[in-house]
């Protein structure tokens, strides 16, 4: 039996009308047919669908509990609310949380609109790839004429008596390139981009739903990097080529990668700022051991009578060595992420939490109180909401905390991300952020706590999501520098395969291995990294550890550009977290013990360069001030790393 179709609603607008005419075979010339216009994703194909209201499915009411600031059971009911409250300070904000909203049920059999299955002859459906142009006309209201390819019958004109035509066109622009035809002010030409580039971040990485392996066979280069661009409305013709995979010349790789990652300018000559690193003897890598997670009793021993954390450096060290037992994560993560100061007392933390609760719900009220009319005139908020809704519905759905229909965890995920848009207007929401928030919310089980911990996490990750992605560029250069020091022969091999810039590690760096490890392993890895030990940018050493484990297979099998991308992506969920942490720590100790360590490596890992030997003292006064050694030393000390995780 064939698998059921996967249908996801990307845009929906009611109150769109069709005016029947005699040319369309109808006698009801003065009548209007009102219906629902949708853009849906069905089996990885974007469809535009219209269904008259009389064919619509009945709506169901999804009822929320009174306090959505913490997770509780939700249920789908008919007109009854779940009156389950929680005694907490946050219940004073129930005016914001107590919301009910309509949710239209979409079934696989009835959700797809086409001429053969709909009862109404006015219903229609077509693939976005068949849409050729849109003519915009005014008649006191806007109406659109959609012209399809010659092999398809064009649908009737869509009249937007109640507005919404611009929202519809804006939504189409997420999946197709729409440009104005030369000489015609009201004709918009439509061309559909490569489907692989239109998938959102999570869809691209979902092998079960979208056939990652098949995409790799067609073009692993596009599959790996295409989804990481913030804008999917470009970069499509450049990737269209023959079925055969040819070795791309270096200048072509540089040009294409520069387009996929905005702001990434690649110089085919030596990258400015690179320090030439020759083969160095790093010595033997020291053995490293791990320990058991920090227990509740051990955590308590690091608190004084008033709740202050004591001997914090030792506490961070044992967390780095073993992580935390799950029972203490909810408390400890607030310290590790900077929500609570280490030196604060219990009473001080209560006051801080109360203030932060007020601040959070004031920001949440800002977007919750925006009317539909206001949102229609706020394209950034509208786009953020649409993107968040789409991403949230695909985030960690196999995890029990987020699985199933009408899950409260998904609502909290949505609300926190929307509130973060109010917190950081300039950045807003970028695909991938939901991956970073999901484990935090899972651990905190509280809307307010999860938000402020996420804010602290985003302070570290902010550059990864900025428009020019300067943080990603810097990290890739730093990682390449480290690998050249650790294994020059392997780096030379990758360079010969047009892979010296390590773009196949892009996903690892962007969301901190979230898609490479099991959910529980991600929790362990993140809390270890948040200690800031044993150096800054420890995540780069984790990348080096993984590559060190895979270099033999890559080189023995003589993998080329495409094979390397495919192999690295297939490591997902096959990595052993404790083994990686051990090897990464050992690499760090090995580098630190190296004599004459290059200044660029010291800068990347946040280690002070080795002190120069003392200058010979001379009897002349002022010699120290004019010594070239003093000037060199001060210049080195003034150097700061370009990116600190």
């Amino acid at each position: 039996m064939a698998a059921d179709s996967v249908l996801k609603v990307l845009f929906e607008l009611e109150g769109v009308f069709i005016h029947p005419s005699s040319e369309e075979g109808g006698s009801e010339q003065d009548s209007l047919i009102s219906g629902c216009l949708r853009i849906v994703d069905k089996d990885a194909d974007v469809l535009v669908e219209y269904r008259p209201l009389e064919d619509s499915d009945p709506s169901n009411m999804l009822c929320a509990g009174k306090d959505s600031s913490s997770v509780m059971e939700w249920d789908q009911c008919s007109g009854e609310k779940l009156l389950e409250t929680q005694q907490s300070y946050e219940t004073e904000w129930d005016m914001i949380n107590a919301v009910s909203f309509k949710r239209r049920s979409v079934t696989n059999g009835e959700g797809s609109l086409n001429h053969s299955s709909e009862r109404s002859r006015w219903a229609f459906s077509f693939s976005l790839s068949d849409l050729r142009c849109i003519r915009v006309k005014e008649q006191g209201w806007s109406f659109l004429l959609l012209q399809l390819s010659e092999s398809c019958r064009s649908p009737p004109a869509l009249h937007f008596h109640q507005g919404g035509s611009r929202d519809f066109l804006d939504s189409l622009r997420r999946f197709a390139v729409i440009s104005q035809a030369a000489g015609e002010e009201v004709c918009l030409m439509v061309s559909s981009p490569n489907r692989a580039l239109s998938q959102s971040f999570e869809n691209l990485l979902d092998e079960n739903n979208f056939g990652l392996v098949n995409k790799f066979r067609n073009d692993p280069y596009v599959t790996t990097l295409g989804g990481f661009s913030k804008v999917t409305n470009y970069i499509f013709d450049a990737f269209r080529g023959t079925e055969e995979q040819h070795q791309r010349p270096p200048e072509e790789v540089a040009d294409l990668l520069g387009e996929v990652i905005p702001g990434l300018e690649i110089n085919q000559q030596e990258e400015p700022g690179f320090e030439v690193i020759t083969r160095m003897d790093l010595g033997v890598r020291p053995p490293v051991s791990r320990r058991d997670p920090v227990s509740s009793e051990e955590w308590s021993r690091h608190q004084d009578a008033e709740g202050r954390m004591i001997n914090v450096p030792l506490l961070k060290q044992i967390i780095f060595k073993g992580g935390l037992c799950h029972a203490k994560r909810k408390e400890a993560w607030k310290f590790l992420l900077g929500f609570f100061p280490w030196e604060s007392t219990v009473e001080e933390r209560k006051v801080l939490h109360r203030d932060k609760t007020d601040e959070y719900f004031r920001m949440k009220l800002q977007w919750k109180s925006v009317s539909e009319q206001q949102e229609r005139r706020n394209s950034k908020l509208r786009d953020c909401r649409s993107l968040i809704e789409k991403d949230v519905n695909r985030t960690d759905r196999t995890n029990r905390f987020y699985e199933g229909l009408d899950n409260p965890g998904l609502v909290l995920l949505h609300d926190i991300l929307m509130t973060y848009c109010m917190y950081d207007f300039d950045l807003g929401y970028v695909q991938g952020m939901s991956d970073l928030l999901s484990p935090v919310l899972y651990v905190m089980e509280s809307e307010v706590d999860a938000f402020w911990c996420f804010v602290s996490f985003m302070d570290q990750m902010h550059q990864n999501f900025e428009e020019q992605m300067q943080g990603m560029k810097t990290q890739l250069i730093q990682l390449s520098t480290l690998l050249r020091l650790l294994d020059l022969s392997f780096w030379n091999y990758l360079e010969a395969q047009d892979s010296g810039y390590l773009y196949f590690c892009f996903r690892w760096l962007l969301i901190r291995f979230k898609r490479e490890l099991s959910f529980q392993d991600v929790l362990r890895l993140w809390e270890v990294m948040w200690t800031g030990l044993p150096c800054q940018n420890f995540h780069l050493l984790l990348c080096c550890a993984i590559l060190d484990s895979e270099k033999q297979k890559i080189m023995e099998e003589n993998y080329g550009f495409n094979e390397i991308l495919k192999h690295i992506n297939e490591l997902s969920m096959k990595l052993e977290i404790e083994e990686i942490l051990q090897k990464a720590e050992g690499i760090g100790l090995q580098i630190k013990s190296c004599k004459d360590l290059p200044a660029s490596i010291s800068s990347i890992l946040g280690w002070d360069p080795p002190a120069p030997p003392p200058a010979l003292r001379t009897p002349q006064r002022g010699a120290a001030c004019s010594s070239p050694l003093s000037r060199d030393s001060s210049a080195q000390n003034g150097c700061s790393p370009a990116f600190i995780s």
Side-chain angles (χ1 to χ4, degrees):
M1 186 172 63
D4 292 339
S5 299
V6 177
L7 187 146
K8 297 178 180 178
V9 178
L10 308 174
F11 171 84
E12 186 173 40
L13 179 66
E14 293 184 357
V16 180
F17 294 84
I18 290 176
H19 295 190
S21 65
S22 56
E23 287 78 15
E24 293 168 318
S27 58
E28 57 279 354
Q29 206 159 349
D30 295 329
S31 65
L32 300 178
I33 296 177
S34 176
C36 178
L37 180 64
R38 299 195 302 179
I39 302 174
V40 300
D41 187 335
K42 181 182 179 184
D43 298 332
D45 186 22
V46 177
L47 306 178
V48 177
E49 302 180 337
Y50 180 85
R51 177 170 55 188
L53 283 182
E54 56 266 28
D55 292 334
S56 299
D57 295 329
S59 299
N60 293 320
M61 186 68 73
L62 181 67
C63 300
K66 192 173 183 182
D67 179 17
S68 66
S69 62
S70 59
V71 178
M72 64 181 70
E73 285 295 323
W74 284 34
D75 194 10
Q76 192 161 350
C77 53
S78 56
E80 295 181 2
K81 289 186 178 181
L82 296 176
L83 299 178
E84 183 175 348
T85 59
Q86 187 178 23
Q87 295 301 320
S88 70
Y89 175 69
E90 296 166 16
T91 57
E92 298 176 21
W93 289 93
D94 286 341
M95 56 176 289
I96 302 175
N97 290 325
V99 293
S100 300
F101 55 92
K102 291 185 177 181
R103 172 187 172 277
R104 282 181 169 72
S105 59
V106 179
T107 61
N108 293 330
E110 300 177 3
S112 177
L113 307 181
N114 54 61
H115 292 294
S116 62
S117 64
E118 285 299 317
R119 292 174 293 173
S120 171
R121 60 193 177 97
W122 298 112
F124 62 81
S125 172
F126 61 84
S127 173
L128 187 58
S129 60
D130 292 326
L131 183 59
R132 292 295 174 261
C133 76
I134 304 173
R135 295 186 180 275
V136 183
K137 296 183 178 294
E138 295 291 334
Q139 188 175 314
W141 60 85
S142 297
F143 67 98
L144 305 180
L145 298 171
L146 310 180
Q147 182 176 334
L148 307 184
S149 58
E150 294 180 359
S151 60
C152 303
R153 179 183 175 185
S154 295
L158 298 176
H159 295 256
F160 295 80
H161 291 277
Q162 301 173 5
S165 60
R166 180 171 296 181
D167 294 343
F168 173 64
L169 294 175
D170 287 344
S171 296
L172 285 181
R173 286 189 176 93
R174 292 162 47 202
F175 309 102
V177 178
I178 300 180
S179 56
Q180 185 172 313
E184 294 193 52
E185 296 183 359
V186 293
C187 183
L188 303 176
M189 305 304 295
V190 180
S191 56
S192 298
N194 187 317
R195 183 59 186 160
L197 297 180
S198 296
Q199 299 299 339
S200 73
F201 179 78
E202 290 210 22
N203 273 347
L204 185 70
L205 304 177
D206 189 342
E207 182 173 340
N208 293 328
N209 290 338
F210 291 94
L212 184 63
V213 174
N214 291 331
K215 289 189 176 73
F216 265 117
R217 289 182 183 142
N218 295 329
D219 197 336
Y221 166 71
V222 172
T223 304
T224 302
L225 297 179
F228 300 124
S229 172
K230 288 177 64 177
V231 182
T232 59
N233 212 20
Y234 63 102
I235 335 166
F236 58 97
D237 286 332
F239 296 115
R240 299 183 189 275
T242 60
E243 292 293 329
E244 300 82 18
Q245 292 299 317
H246 300 291
Q247 187 69 30
R248 293 176 171 84
E251 62 273 12
E252 180 185 347
V253 173
D255 291 342
L256 295 180
L257 287 172
E259 292 181 9
V260 171
I261 309 175
L264 186 62
E265 299 177 1
I266 302 171
N267 188 346
Q268 289 306 301
Q269 305 300 320
E270 186 69 19
E271 177 72 23
F274 265 142
E275 180 177 355
V276 177
I277 298 175
T278 57
R279 188 181 299 274
M280 300 180 65
D281 182 12
L282 294 178
V284 180
R285 187 174 301 167
V288 171
S289 61
R290 302 278 298 164
R291 53 154 284 166
D292 293 333
V294 176
S295 64
S296 298
E297 295 77 14
E298 199 168 10
W299 176 267
S300 299
R301 287 198 295 269
H302 283 80
Q303 284 184 320
D304 65 14
E306 294 183 319
R308 296 184 187 87
M309 304 307 299
I310 56 177
N311 205 348
V312 174
L314 175 61
L315 180 58
K316 286 184 178 181
Q317 181 64 33
I318 61 178
I319 293 175
F320 171 77
K321 280 291 190 178
L324 294 152
C325 68
H326 190 71
K328 298 312 297 179
R329 281 182 172 140
K330 186 182 298 187
E331 180 180 358
W333 280 25
K334 297 171 189 175
F335 291 95
L336 290 170
L337 284 168
F339 180 25
F340 287 160
W342 292 96
E343 67 279 4
S344 61
T345 65
V346 172
E347 291 303 317
E348 288 170 344
R349 292 196 288 272
K350 287 181 180 179
V351 173
L352 176 62
H353 190 274
R354 185 181 183 90
D355 293 341
K356 289 296 185 181
T357 299
D358 281 339
E359 185 178 354
Y360 172 77
F361 282 112
R362 279 195 296 271
M363 288 186 291
K364 184 175 181 179
L365 184 59
Q366 290 174 356
W367 65 266
K368 277 211 169 267
S369 60
V370 172
S371 66
E372 293 183 7
Q373 291 76 16
Q374 286 178 297
E375 190 166 319
R376 288 176 185 172
R377 292 184 290 272
N378 190 331
S379 60
K380 184 168 184 177
L381 178 62
R382 191 170 61 246
D383 292 345
C384 283
R385 185 192 296 273
S386 176
L387 196 56
I388 288 170
E389 289 174 352
K390 183 168 67 173
D391 280 3
V392 161
N393 286 328
R394 289 191 296 267
T395 300
D396 291 323
R397 297 309 302 274
T398 58
N399 186 297
R400 187 175 181 182
F401 192 81
Y402 299 107
E403 70 180 358
L405 298 175
D406 310 327
N407 189 294
L410 299 181
V411 178
L412 297 184
L413 208 62
H414 169 275
D415 287 2
I416 293 171
L417 292 171
M418 283 295 298
T419 307
Y420 186 80
C421 293
M422 297 292 103
Y423 178 83
D424 192 337
F425 285 103
D426 291 339
L427 184 62
Y429 176 78
V430 183
Q431 288 175 319
M433 288 183 183
S434 61
D435 270 300
L436 299 183
L437 173 59
S438 171
V440 176
L441 177 59
Y442 170 84
V443 168
M444 293 299 150
E445 297 181 302
S446 165
E447 185 174 5
V448 173
D449 294 350
F451 173 81
W452 290 112
C453 288
F454 176 67
V455 165
S456 298
F457 195 12
M458 280 302 302
D459 288 343
Q460 302 176 29
M461 305 293 291
H462 200 280
Q463 284 187 308
N464 285 15
F465 297 97
E466 291 171 358
E467 186 69 35
Q468 298 303 314
M469 287 192 167
Q470 183 60 41
M472 293 303 303
K473 174 183 176 181
T474 302
Q475 290 175 90
L476 288 167
I477 292 174
Q478 291 174 337
L479 179 56
S480 185
T481 304
L482 287 171
L483 190 61
R484 283 198 289 182
L485 172 72
L486 291 168
D487 198 325
L488 188 59
S489 62
F490 182 42
W491 185 88
N492 285 333
Y493 176 85
L494 295 175
E495 180 72 4
Q497 307 301 327
D498 299 321
S499 301
Y501 283 92
L502 309 179
Y503 295 111
F504 48 81
C505 299
F506 193 96
R507 182 174 69 187
W508 300 356
L509 301 173
L510 184 70
I511 52 173
R512 290 298 187 271
F513 306 95
K514 171 62 166 54
R515 288 288 171 179
E516 318 311 315
L517 302 167
S518 68
F519 199 85
Q520 292 301 320
D521 284 350
V522 169
L523 305 183
R524 173 60 40 80
L525 176 65
W526 285 6
E527 64 199 12
V528 166
M529 290 194 298
W530 290 338
T531 63
L533 299 174
C535 59
Q536 71 182 25
N537 290 324
F538 180 61
H539 64 287
L540 299 180
L541 297 183
L542 292 166
C543 295
C544 291
I546 298 172
L547 294 176
D548 183 71
S549 299
E550 302 301 322
K551 67 179 180 182
Q552 184 176 354
K553 183 174 182 61
I554 290 174
M555 296 177 73
E556 286 183 353
E557 299 290 336
N558 197 28
Y559 284 166
F561 184 86
N562 290 342
E563 290 82 8
I564 293 172
L565 291 174
K566 182 176 185 294
H567 177 72
I568 294 299
N569 276 273
E570 289 178 345
L571 293 176
S572 178
M573 301 301 162
K574 299 177 183 178
L575 300 172
E576 175 56 49
I577 182 61
E578 292 298 327
E579 179 182 324
I580 295 170
L581 287 169
Q582 260 185 306
K583 181 172 286 191
E585 184 183 356
I587 290 173
L589 294 174
Q590 185 182 20
I591 293 175
K592 193 169 187 179
S593 64
C594 177
K595 296 180 179 180
D596 303 320
L597 191 65
S600 60
I601 302 298
S602 298
S603 176
I604 290 170
L605 300 178
W607 292 328
D608 293 330
L616 294 176
R617 293 185 177 274
T618 58
Q620 290 83 2
R621 291 185 179 181
C625 296
S626 60
S627 168
L629 182 61
S630 297
R631 288 196 296 270
D632 291 344
S633 177
S634 63
Q636 283 182 323
N637 290 335
C639 178
S640 60
F643 182 86
I644 299 176
S645 173

